[in-house]
Amino acid sequence: MRNLLVTTLVALLTGCAVSTHATQKSTLGVSRSSAELLAVIDQPGPVSLETVASSDWQVDRSGLINLQHPRAKEAGLTDGPEKIQVYFHVLRHPERGTFIVDTGVEKALRDNPKESAMSGLVASAMKLETMKFLVPLGDWLARQQEPLQGVFITHLHFDHITGMPDVPAGTAIYSGPGEAASSAFIHAFVRGSTDRALQGKAAISEWAFEADSTGRFAGVLDIFGDGSVWALWVPGHTPGSTAYVVRTPEGPVLLTGDASHTRWGWEHDVEPGTFSGDLSKSAESFGRLRKLAAEHPAMDVRFGHQR
């Protein structure tokens, strides 16, 4: 018992990894430069993309938007509940099949919350009484005729992997480098739920980013090697945070993940708030994504938690 208490105290004082789930280097994806992305980004692509609102929710505005930013102060923004949604995005590639970005919410979170992965302190912190369930991932999967080929994660915060228990065992899972091993004080409280969400799932394949030769992003990856879906390394919110660019028949779509939570923050050039682990890097990555979108005005930008 004494050893357990000491171990727990050390974890609380020094922080711990967000998950103990197995990881491996991804063999999917080809490292590119941002110049190669920009050469094709405005060309219509072959991938259909559907964004599914899995649930309505609300969280503290101060976590979503940097309320200390001069523009936020000028606008009179104060802390309080902000209405958001929890999403998953469905990518259908004509040759590679169906993939999702992030996971929405678990079916059991609605039907039997005591048996869901997000239980205990995390469930209490989630304030489930404020969550309205729309399309849990399990309900959506039950209606699909084609198997799910893989899950692309923007990052491993619980509101982006809450639906993971509904993902079929053996389905490939991908995230940014170092995401599972990233250490923080809060992980001592959420790691149990994160590990339960990933229990029985495939090892997390971490994107093999290389330094972007043009310096626009930390790394750029052509996921299928055909220029249709791109992963952008945007550290700050978490060390492995990843945004995705999808070339659809209607034009390019940017999935920011939590590099930008809200429409207000994006439109007023105010980076995310206290939910981000490294505020400086978060602001930098946010600015890089906004620059990309400004240079390509036809791009449809879909934020981490608002439309």
Side-chain angles (χ1 to χ4, degrees):
M1 178 63 72
R2 183 173 181 273
N3 289 339
L4 176 60
L5 290 174
V6 170
T7 300
T8 302
L9 180 60
V10 170
L12 289 174
L13 292 174
T14 63
C16 63
V18 67
S19 176
T20 62
H21 196 72
T23 62
Q24 60 190 12
K25 186 175 181 179
S26 175
T27 58
L28 179 66
V30 180
S31 181
R32 305 286 194 196
S33 70
S34 56
E36 292 172 286
L37 164 64
L38 298 180
V40 300
I41 194 170
D42 291 319
Q43 299 173 15
V47 180
S48 69
L49 177 63
E50 175 189 7
T51 294
V52 180
S54 195
S55 74
D56 292 333
W57 196 26
Q58 59 184 29
V59 298
D60 294 339
R61 188 174 297 112
S62 59
L64 303 170
I65 299 170
N66 179 10
L67 298 182
Q68 301 307 309
H69 193 287
R71 293 191 186 90
K73 290 184 176 181
E74 183 181 355
L77 293 191
T78 58
D79 202 5
E82 177 80 15
K83 292 182 179 180
I84 64 170
Q85 293 184 307
V86 179
Y87 300 117
F88 61 92
H89 310 274
V90 183
L91 284 64
R92 291 186 172 91
H93 190 285
E95 297 175 357
R96 298 298 190 108
T98 301
F99 295 76
I100 58 174
V101 176
D102 291 335
T103 66
V105 297
E106 177 190 6
K107 184 179 179 182
L109 198 60
R110 177 196 64 193
D111 298 343
N112 192 6
K114 290 185 179 180
E115 298 299 322
S116 72
M118 302 299 162
S119 58
L121 288 174
V122 172
S124 177
M126 287 180 73
K127 299 179 181 178
L128 293 183
E129 69 276 7
T130 70
M131 184 173 283
K132 178 183 178 182
F133 297 96
L134 303 174
V135 186
L137 183 61
D139 286 357
W140 181 85
L141 285 170
R143 299 195 297 265
Q144 305 310 303
Q145 297 182 350
E146 299 295 328
L148 186 64
Q149 299 299 323
V151 181
F152 302 152
I153 297 295
T154 60
H155 62 295
L156 285 174
H157 281 174
F158 62 79
D159 52 323
H160 291 258
I161 63 165
T162 305
M164 190 65 74
D166 291 341
V167 172
T171 303
I173 302 169
Y174 302 88
S175 80
E179 184 68 9
S182 63
S183 180
F185 174 80
I186 189 64
H187 296 164
F189 301 97
V190 303
R191 186 169 71 180
S193 290
T194 301
D195 281 349
R196 284 192 295 274
L198 292 164
Q199 187 174 1
K201 307 304 178 185
I204 298 172
S205 295
E206 298 187 333
W207 297 124
F209 287 114
E210 296 179 8
D212 177 12
S213 60
T214 66
R216 287 186 61 124
F217 291 99
V220 177
L221 204 69
D222 179 355
I223 291 180
F224 297 123
D226 61 359
S228 63
V229 182
W230 299 75
L232 307 179
W233 190 7
V234 288
H237 183 66
T238 63
S241 282
T242 305
Y244 296 91
V245 173
V246 184
R247 289 178 47 235
T248 76
E250 293 76 30
V253 180
L254 171 63
L255 305 176
T256 70
D258 283 358
S260 180
H261 299 89
T262 67
R263 176 169 292 280
W264 190 96
W266 181 267
E267 292 182 346
H268 292 82
D269 194 15
V270 178
E271 67 276 2
T274 57
F275 291 157
S276 292
D278 187 320
L279 296 178
S280 175
K281 285 186 177 180
S282 174
E284 182 180 348
S285 290
F286 173 79
R288 291 181 177 190
L289 290 178
R290 287 191 82 253
K291 180 181 178 182
L292 177 68
E295 292 173 347
H296 301 275
M299 177 178 285
D300 178 9
V301 182
R302 304 185 186 181
F303 315 111
H305 290 288
Q306 289 180 350
R307 296 189 179 183

